[in-house]
Amino acid sequence: MSDCLFCKIVNGDIPASKLYEDDDVIAFWDIAPQAPKHFLVIPKKHISGLNKAEEADQQLLGKLMTVAARLAKEEGIGDNFRTVVNTGEEAGQTVFHIHMHILGGRSMQWPPG
Ligand code: AMP
Ligand code: ZN
């Protein structure tokens, strides 16, 4: 997807502060952090949102979770962090390439706004 911001990060066309990368996923620090630790884990494959994920994406999406948990642990927030996947504009999605937010380093409120 040539006009997708996160595909550009995957391709290296736009720089990002990366924590982790392998053949399937990439993780990088959020440019506008909402917590002392705030990073994103995304699949390299372009999927516009969770509402467009398919059965065949199950393993890849599961990997986002396990990579997120491992990186959270490495960042010292492994036992207290929040994962968020915003789906759709009204739910706060602004980048239409599926991504999981991982936030930690402060206490969180519930329900979210
Ligand atoms: P969402 O609003 O759930 O779609 O999340 C998109 C996130 O991407 C926001 O938290 C933004 O701050 C973040 N973001 C946007 N552009 C960049 C970028 N170039 N590098 C890192 N994070 C970004
Ligand atoms: Zn994309």
Side-chain angles (χ1 to χ4, degrees), residues 1 4 6-7 46 96-97:
M1 288 283 286
C4 170
F6 285 177
C7 281
H46 181 88
F96 287 81
H97 179 129

Side-chain angles (χ1 to χ4, degrees), residues 1 3-8 10 42-48 95-98:
M1 288 283 286
D3 59 346
C4 170
L5 177 67
F6 285 177
C7 281
K8 286 179 181 164
V10 168
I42 73 170
K44 288 189 168 178
K45 176 186 175 185
H46 181 88
I47 302 168
S48 63
V95 178
F96 287 81
H97 179 129
I98 195 168

Side-chain angles (χ1 to χ4, degrees), residues 29-73:
W29 294 105
D30 197 292
I31 204 167
Q34 301 301 312
K37 302 266 182 176
H38 182 182
F39 59 91
L40 306 173
V41 185
I42 73 170
K44 288 189 168 178
K45 176 186 175 185
H46 181 88
I47 302 168
S48 63
L50 191 52
N51 54 342
K52 299 290 190 241
E54 296 173 352
E55 200 83 13
D57 298 318
Q58 243 179 41
Q59 197 172 347
L60 182 59
L61 296 179
K63 185 168 178 177
L64 290 191
M65 292 236 185
T66 53
V67 167
R70 182 163 51 76
L71 295 176
K73 187 175 181 186

Side-chain angles (χ1 to χ4, degrees), residues 1 11 13 21-22 26 28-29 31 33 42-44 46 49 57 64 74 80 88 94 112:
M1 288 283 286
N11 296 333
D13 296 335
E21 179 171 10
D22 65 24
I26 182 169
F28 51 94
W29 294 105
I31 204 167
I42 73 170
K44 288 189 168 178
H46 181 88
D57 298 318
L64 290 191
E74 286 174 15
N80 285 289
T94 59

